[in-house]
Amino acid sequence: TKDECFGKGEIFLADICYGTYPDNNPRKIFPLYLDYTDIKNHIILTGLSGMGKTTLAYSLLKELAEKNINCLVFDWDRTWRNFLSLPEEDYPFIKGIRIFTIGRDDIAPLSWNMFFSPPPGIRFSSWLGIVSSKPLQKSLLAGQGVEDFIENEAEKLMNDFQSGILKLLPNADDLRKRIKNKFAKARELLWKQSAERVLKDLTRESIKQLFGSREPLDISEQIIERNGITILEMDIETPEHLRVLFQELFLTYLMLCMLSKGEAQRNEIRAAIFLEEFPNMLPKSSIEKEVNSDVIKTIFREGRKFGLGLIAIAQETSELPNYVLANAKVQAHFACQTKRDIEATANSLFLKQDEIVFLDFLKLGEAIAKVKGRVRNCLIKIRPPFIHERVNDIQLKEKMKKWNSQN
């Protein structure tokens, strides 16, 4: 019904269409809207590459930004920067877009210090324990002994800094040098060598500023609390395991900031988080699964309480764990191809046996969508792309230079 499709009419998603008119234009039934509570209960978009997932995500970002909702985008493809090509007079929210190129210090770098920059209100020792445990074990295959080795030396460095012995904020390079000069024997020698390997990876020239800046950006103030859109380009030039490490630590930082603020009001969205290439964050090997960080699971299960809404974008439905599908109130599934993905999509939508074939009929820009508790499975057609120009590195560098001078 019209009322079911409109809900509170807060965020436009797509048009529900069935059939065509004589001129072959789609026959629109009703526009489908999402409520703020739908956003907070998370969205998943799946389907083959090039079928319209990202275009739909762009539309959602535009809708949210026009309602002055803070948005954070983890971009693995360098495509979301193209928003900057839109005319500001038609899209005023463009003025509030800030982009960081993770792992590329020559464009728009992000200065952070992963070990020595805890979130506001969080004790350094608590943050250090979080950083040096599961994220490092998952991304860099560090073990328990390595964790203890890094924690002990990092605490000594921080004590020296707080007591005035060190004049500059410590970083990962200081930690690496300190461990390198530390005497060790027997099993401790193995831990020392593993710790050096981990820290060598974190002090590569291209990402040294990201993981170990002496003057880190105040992420809480400059990104999390800032009004507007922040795009983090997870650049392909940075190894995938380091991109995953940064993304996990950043989301952990974000979640801790939200916990310190307490629960959000029912219709309050503190941040909408777009996770491009979402399966990259999920554990793949048996080791990763054993030490898997809980931050994604925590946000999917508890994020709504603190005003966080996830928009997860994936090509293969079969790669998504049950807790993702179970906690996503809004689903939009574009065309898929393999038997595993078709079965996973059909199960997620509760399709009957004779309805599964419909997944093979989906055309470009079409998806089967549902809003749990309000709108049953329906055919949606997304509106045409509104971004037609690309922004290259030189243009992005100039635009971010201008942004920094004005802000």
Side-chain angles (χ1 to χ4, degrees), residues 106-355:
D106 57 330
I107 307 295
L110 172 64
S111 300
W112 194 31
N113 191 324
M114 62 175 283
F115 289 110
F116 300 96
S117 296
I122 304 298
R123 290 168 48 185
F124 166 72
S125 58
S126 299
W127 174 248
L128 182 60
I130 293 171
V131 171
S132 60
S133 58
K134 287 188 176 181
L136 279 186
Q137 290 179 49
K138 175 184 174 183
S139 300
L140 296 172
L141 304 182
Q144 180 66 46
V146 175
E147 173 188 340
D148 294 338
F149 222 82
I150 290 176
E151 274 193 61
N152 292 336
E153 296 307 314
E155 286 183 350
K156 292 175 184 177
L157 278 171
M158 197 61 172
N159 288 336
D160 288 347
F161 175 69
Q162 292 174 339
S163 62
I165 297 175
L166 295 177
K167 303 302 180 183
L168 299 175
L169 181 69
N171 62 12
D173 201 37
D174 295 334
L175 194 55
R176 181 183 62 81
K177 292 175 182 177
R178 185 156 185 151
I179 289 177
K180 183 178 181 180
N181 295 326
K182 184 178 176 64
F183 174 76
K185 60 181 180 179
R187 182 177 295 181
E188 278 195 349
L189 181 60
L190 297 176
W191 293 342
K192 174 186 174 182
Q193 292 172 341
S194 295
E196 287 185 65
R197 172 185 60 80
V198 167
L199 293 169
K200 183 179 179 180
D201 226 6
L202 296 175
T203 52
R204 295 174 181 224
E205 193 62 36
S206 60
I207 60 170
K208 187 180 293 187
Q209 187 171 349
L210 173 65
F211 288 122
S213 173
R214 302 284 188 188
E215 299 178 347
L217 186 77
D218 187 336
I219 290 177
S220 176
E221 179 182 337
Q222 296 295 321
I223 296 180
I224 297 174
E225 299 292 340
R226 185 185 74 86
N227 293 326
I229 298 172
T230 301
I231 299 175
L232 303 173
E233 286 193 355
M234 312 297 291
D235 202 86
I236 196 170
E237 293 182 17
T238 303
E240 182 177 325
H241 63 282
L242 294 180
R243 286 180 278 168
V244 171
L245 173 65
F246 168 77
Q247 193 164 315
E248 284 202 356
L249 288 177
F250 196 99
L251 288 175
T252 302
Y253 189 106
L254 171 67
M255 192 64 184
L256 289 173
C257 287
M258 294 298 112
L259 284 169
S260 67
K261 295 177 68 173
E263 293 191 12
Q265 299 295 321
R266 178 176 174 78
N267 288 331
E268 179 187 5
I269 302 179
R270 290 175 178 165
I273 306 168
F274 290 76
L275 301 174
E276 182 79 73
E277 300 295 340
F278 173 66
N280 287 325
M281 288 203 66
L282 302 174
K284 298 177 180 64
S285 67
S286 57
I287 296 177
E288 288 178 330
K289 290 177 181 177
E290 184 179 344
V291 300
N292 183 30
S293 175
D294 295 329
V295 62
I296 288 294
K297 188 181 296 184
T298 299
I299 295 181
F300 263 100
R301 290 179 172 174
E302 307 293 337
R304 60 181 176 79
K305 298 179 182 178
F306 304 97
L308 298 178
L310 298 183
I311 296 90
I313 306 167
Q315 291 187 20
E316 301 172 358
T317 315
S318 59
E319 289 190 349
L320 302 179
N322 186 66
Y323 67 80
V324 171
L325 296 169
N327 288 284
K329 186 176 181 180
V330 182
Q331 300 185 30
H333 298 278
F334 292 78
C336 51
Q337 187 159 285
T338 68
K339 181 180 179 181
R340 286 183 60 197
D341 290 329
I342 290 173
E343 289 177 347
T345 302
N347 290 336
S348 182
L349 292 171
F350 291 96
L351 294 182
K352 298 176 183 178
Q353 190 64 36
D354 60 334
E355 294 174 335

